[in-house]
Amino acid sequence: MDPDRVLEGLDPEQTQAARALRGPVCILAGAGTGKTRAITHRIAHAVASGVVSEQQILAVTFTARAAGEMRGRLRALGAPRVQARTFHAAALRQLSFFWPQVIGGEKPTLIDSKIQAVARAAHSVGVQPDRTGLRDLASEIEWAKVTQVRPTDYEGVVAKASRQVPLPAGEIARVFEAYEELRRERNLLDFESMLELTAGMITEYPAIAQRVREQYRYFVVDEFQDVNPLQKLLLDAWLGDRDDLCVVGDPSQTIYSFAGATPAYLTGFAARYPHATVVELVRDYRSTPQVVRVANHVISQAGGTTSAGHLTLRAQRPDGPDPVYQEYDDEPAEATGVARKIGVLMEEGVSAGEIAVLVRTNAQSAAYEQALTDQGVPFTVRGTTRFFERPEIKQAVHLLRGARHEAAGEDPAPLISTVRQLLGQIGLTDTAPEGRQARERWESLTALAQLAEDMAARPHPEGGRVTMNDLVEELEVRISTEHAPGFEGVTIASLHAAKGLEWDAVFLVGITEGMMPIIYAETDEEVEEERRLFYVGVTRAREHLSMSWSLSRSPGGRKTRKPSRFLDGLRPASPSTSARRAERRRGGAARCRVCGAALTDAAARKLGRCLDCPSSYDEALLERLRDWRRTVSQEQKVPAYVIFTDATLQAIAEQEPSAVPQLAAVSGVGPAKLDRYGEAVLALVAGADPADVIEGRDAPDDAEENVTG
């Protein structure tokens, strides 16, 4: 390769990054600024310049899709032997290789999900969470492990950090310890232990450290703002005392702090390496100026660490349509309205595959699935299962491989009809079936059929027509690079799942207070993370951006919802951001609602008033709440404080919340408890009798309106 030719087509900042061949290098890359292009050209330039050999480079990404994309680009640039892997894939490869000489014996079984093991561990210590509680427990254990918190230290750490937890911290600590014991007894390995073992192996065995560090001398880490302490521990083990490290990221896209990720490693990189080269990429090639203006406005209103580290994007594309802000009476009307707008866009020539509906929570998806179905619009719900690991895809690839061998040496039948016939044996039909699981299976098989159609429509490089052998060879390459074929339909995805993707048209829906920011984002830091998540959603759009919200949950419900504060200064007739900021400075959750004094005591913050200020709670309401809690705790066989503490009940009685967002704002009412008990509590506040609430009898009309509104 000619080193200079590798740099052709890069903009000045990308060129600067690519020419910084020796570390440490920090590339601050805004959304849509071509960071993957910059780092792959930097790697190829280093190889072409003789700085490092391909085999000595390890490029680390956070998703298998991103790793596959990077490998594909590096192949095209003449560097096919560069290793581009996720942290977990790289760790598993090294751990598997060195396991016989370091530990010996039978290798552990890698588990994809902790849920089953956590359920057994919880049962063994007398904790009986429901399905939602199990997921919360598994997530909390993952957080503890990636932040290097041990079971014996868990209670103290969460108390010191004032971390909201789904169950009493003591119970979580017991389940955590039982889970670790169970995992060791059954020789199970979770993803966190895999990283920890690999880092420990390199740290404790000098011979292994030497081999690993001789193999990898040149490191690139993408999405560095999402690195957690455990991943940083492994990265430091790989590096040793060297500094040939290039990190790439954007503090404004930090959206996984709840899972232990921290942008501090990115924002503090220059302080750790004072001689580092720092390059900012701000030319946005993805979005129109209209979309970029929205993105810049959203992030410019940030506070805390986000305000100091955000990049101001500069649009490079021509003008496009203005963003759309739309208010609806209720959620069904919003879903129907969005589906109709999507239909109009498709009539205007925007393909379904270039349209996305982005939601804050997965629970919002169902309404849009139904609305798109009613409009006859194809769609896919983006999940977390890797395409080629899905059972139906494994089965389909097996069938196609078999068909290739059967057709060897014969005049093959037309590819499209053969593929559809084979896939029809395992569930591919002309129209989508009912039911989410059946539909997801159908979408996967349809994506394979569409890949065959796309290949058949292209000219064969050697003339003639595309055969089954060509299709299987294409699949083999895609499996090795984890490059999944696309499904030609509208994408419905959560904002978190949309990270790293882009579409011509993006619909951000349900943008209300309580949903964006989410109801359980109570601290300033949590609200700022919600702002960054919204920013990620905005920057997914290339040309068409629509933001909508509804005033009530159901038709005829009370219209008590408010548009998100993140729309302030953007949507028509919205209050000014400066006025909202001034209001927050004057008051906020940390001030007494009676005298206005700052609240420093935890009990006072929970009550929302100074402990010596007069209380104004409804004694009858407090008694109803206590009666209800007593019965529920007896039925569930748990202590009463597990349902709600006395302080939380008193705070509810004092504040008398009349709707879900108000109840969620009460300290001590976390998301799990809101989901489990919110409807009952609001009914009690509205005057319902505890016995009626527990027996599931109809609440008073006012209570129903408060819950749904």
Side-chain angles (χ1 to χ4, degrees):
M1 290 185 293
D2 180 348
D4 291 331
R5 292 198 63 183
V6 174
L7 302 179
E8 291 179 356
L10 300 183
D11 69 27
E13 293 79 23
Q14 292 170 346
T15 301
Q16 180 187 359
R19 286 191 180 278
L21 294 180
R22 303 312 301 242
V25 177
C26 177
I27 304 174
L28 298 173
T33 58
K35 67 180 178 67
T36 306
R37 178 179 177 83
I39 58 178
T40 51
H41 280 72
R42 178 182 181 271
I43 291 171
H45 186 49
V47 172
S49 301
V51 170
V52 65
S53 68
E54 295 175 63
Q55 296 91 332
Q56 293 178 317
I57 301 172
L58 179 60
V60 186
T61 70
F62 274 77
T63 67
R65 183 194 61 79
E69 180 186 355
M70 189 176 292
R71 287 193 294 268
R73 293 197 186 200
L74 289 168
R75 277 200 312 273
L77 290 169
R81 290 183 290 277
V82 172
Q83 295 293 314
R85 299 181 179 277
T86 64
F87 271 104
H88 294 108
L92 180 60
R93 184 184 177 100
Q94 293 173 17
L95 188 62
S96 299
F97 181 82
F98 290 111
W99 184 274
Q101 55 186 290
V102 175
I103 300 174
E106 184 181 355
K107 293 181 181 179
T109 300
L110 182 63
I111 55 175
D112 291 330
S113 172
K114 294 181 178 65
I115 296 295
Q116 210 169 22
V118 169
R120 292 195 185 101
H123 180 74
S124 71
V125 296
V127 178
Q128 302 291 341
D130 57 18
R131 183 176 299 179
T132 300
L134 274 177
R135 288 197 296 268
D136 290 341
L137 265 175
S139 297
E140 194 65 13
I141 289 173
E142 286 180 6
W143 172 83
K145 296 189 73 169
V146 301
T147 54
Q148 296 288 275
V149 176
R150 305 302 176 193
T152 52
D153 301 326
Y154 176 82
E155 285 188 82
V157 170
V158 298
K160 184 177 181 180
S162 299
R163 179 176 172 84
Q164 290 190 358
V165 293
L167 291 172
E171 291 187 11
I172 296 176
R174 295 205 312 274
V175 175
F176 184 9
E177 187 171 13
Y179 166 80
E180 291 290 81
E181 290 177 0
L182 175 70
R183 188 180 57 75
R184 287 189 290 267
E185 289 172 359
R186 303 196 176 191
N187 201 26
L188 303 176
L189 191 67
D190 58 27
F191 287 118
E192 296 76 38
S193 297
M194 180 172 65
L195 298 188
E196 193 171 39
L197 279 174
T198 306
M201 177 183 68
I202 296 171
T203 303
E204 295 175 19
Y205 294 87
I208 291 177
Q210 182 179 354
R211 289 194 63 179
V212 170
R213 291 167 187 167
E214 284 177 352
Q215 172 69 52
Y216 297 117
R217 299 175 177 270
Y218 204 78
F219 295 87
V220 176
V221 184
D222 194 11
E223 303 287 4
F224 201 60
Q225 78 277 354
D226 288 330
V227 166
N228 62 47
L230 182 53
Q231 291 163 335
K232 184 62 165 52
L233 180 72
L234 177 58
L235 178 62
D236 288 343
W238 284 337
L239 275 169
D241 58 0
R242 301 166 299 172
D243 65 1
D244 254 331
L245 170 65
C246 173
V247 301
V248 190
D250 179 7
S252 297
Q253 296 188 69
T254 303
I255 59 173
Y256 292 107
S257 296
F258 66 90
T262 172
Y265 302 126
L266 177 63
T267 56
F269 190 85
R272 180 177 181 182
Y273 299 103
H275 58 298
T277 300
V278 180
V279 182
E280 292 187 356
L281 305 183
V282 296
R283 300 175 195 249
D284 188 325
Y285 298 98
R286 175 187 299 160
S287 305
T288 63
Q290 286 76 8
V291 174
V292 169
R293 277 196 289 270
V294 174
N296 283 337
H297 177 87
V298 169
I299 208 65
S300 70
Q301 306 305 310
T305 56
T306 306
S307 63
H310 78 267
L311 301 170
T312 300
L313 301 174
R314 300 206 310 264
Q316 305 297 301
R317 289 189 56 182
D319 279 346
D322 289 330
V324 174
Y325 303 89
Q326 184 69 54
E327 182 173 276
Y328 294 92
D329 285 341
D330 50 68
E331 287 183 6
E334 184 179 5
T336 299
V338 167
R340 287 173 177 167
K341 289 178 182 295
I342 288 173
V344 172
L345 279 179
M346 292 172 62
E347 290 175 358
E348 293 174 351
V350 181
S351 68
E354 288 295 345
I355 302 174
V357 177
L358 303 184
V359 296
R360 175 61 182 86
T361 67
N362 292 325
Q364 295 170 275
S365 172
Y368 294 91
E369 294 175 41
Q370 185 60 56
L372 290 171
T373 299
D374 293 343
Q375 291 291 318
V377 174
F379 66 89
T380 181
V381 180
R382 183 173 178 82
T384 57
T385 305
R386 295 178 184 174
F387 183 82
F388 290 108
E389 292 179 0
R390 297 174 186 173
E392 65 272 16
I393 294 303
K394 290 183 177 180
Q395 188 179 8
V397 171
H398 177 74
L399 280 176
L400 296 174
R401 284 171 176 157
R404 173 183 63 177
H405 296 310
E406 292 174 6
E410 302 176 5
D411 182 27
L415 179 66
I416 298 174
S417 59
T418 302
V419 170
R420 285 200 166 273
Q421 181 182 4
L422 288 169
L423 299 185
Q425 299 173 18
I426 56 174
L428 181 63
T429 56
D430 291 336
T431 58
E434 297 293 331
R436 169 172 282 204
Q437 291 186 342
R439 186 184 182 97
E440 288 179 352
R441 180 182 177 89
W442 179 84
E443 289 170 357
S444 299
L445 298 176
T446 299
L448 283 186
Q450 288 180 351
L451 175 63
E453 292 175 6
D454 292 342
M455 290 185 63
R458 296 195 299 264
H460 195 285
E462 300 175 2
R465 62 185 179 185
V466 176
T467 66
M468 182 65 70
N469 190 61
D470 296 320
L471 174 61
V472 173
E473 287 182 355
E474 173 71 13
L475 284 173
E476 301 290 3
V477 172
R478 286 174 175 263
I479 291 171
S480 66
T481 59
E482 300 189 43
H483 179 200
F487 172 78
E488 185 57 29
V490 172
T491 298
I492 302 176
S494 71
L495 286 163
H496 283 98
K499 180 82 159 36
L501 304 176
E502 58 187 78
W503 295 268
D504 283 347
V506 168
F507 289 81
L508 299 175
V509 300
I511 311 298
T512 61
E513 288 290 309
M515 189 59 72
M516 180 59 66
I518 200 73
I519 52 175
Y520 47 80
E522 297 182 351
T523 68
D524 290 342
E525 290 181 1
E526 290 167 342
V527 170
E528 288 308 319
E529 177 131 338
E530 291 288 299
R531 182 187 300 279
R532 295 192 295 269
L533 186 59
F534 183 56
Y535 174 81
V536 166
V538 169
T539 54
R540 299 311 94 196
R542 298 191 192 105
E543 186 172 358
H544 302 276
L545 176 62
S546 175
M547 291 158 281
S548 61
W549 59 94
S550 52
L551 300 178
S552 68
R553 189 178 71 181
S554 55
R558 297 173 65 182
K559 299 177 182 178
T560 57
R561 292 179 174 175
K562 296 180 180 179
S564 169
R565 71 191 73 174
F566 301 151
L567 297 174
D568 287 358
L570 290 171
R571 65 184 180 89
S574 65
S576 70
T577 304
S578 58
R580 181 66 67 88
R581 276 186 164 181
E583 181 182 348
R584 288 204 297 270
R585 283 196 297 269
R586 288 195 302 269
R591 292 191 173 274
C592 174
R593 55 189 167 80
V594 179
C595 70
L599 299 176
T600 57
D601 182 84
R605 288 198 300 270
K606 183 179 284 290
L607 290 173
R609 61 169 174 81
C610 300
L611 296 179
D612 55 357
C613 277
S615 172
S616 59
Y617 64 85
D618 182 333
E619 292 186 6
L621 170 57
L622 182 58
E623 191 60 31
R624 291 200 303 274
L625 289 167
R626 285 173 173 165
D627 288 345
W628 165 82
R629 183 185 64 172
R630 186 183 307 111
T631 304
V632 172
S633 68
Q634 291 170 353
E635 290 180 351
Q636 296 184 1
K637 298 180 180 179
V638 296
Y641 70 82
V642 172
I643 311 300
F644 286 117
T645 64
D646 287 341
T648 298
L649 289 189
Q650 186 173 341
I652 292 171
E654 290 190 15
Q655 298 176 35
E656 298 188 33
S658 60
V660 169
Q662 296 169 3
L663 178 58
V666 176
S667 180
V669 183
K673 292 184 179 181
L674 187 70
D675 182 56
R676 258 177 240 152
Y677 309 125
E679 190 169 345
V681 170
L682 290 175
L684 291 166
V685 172
D689 185 88
D692 291 341
V693 171
I694 292 168
E695 292 174 8
R697 298 173 187 169
D698 291 337
D701 291 341
D702 288 345
E704 289 184 358
E705 289 182 355
N706 288 333
V707 171
T708 58

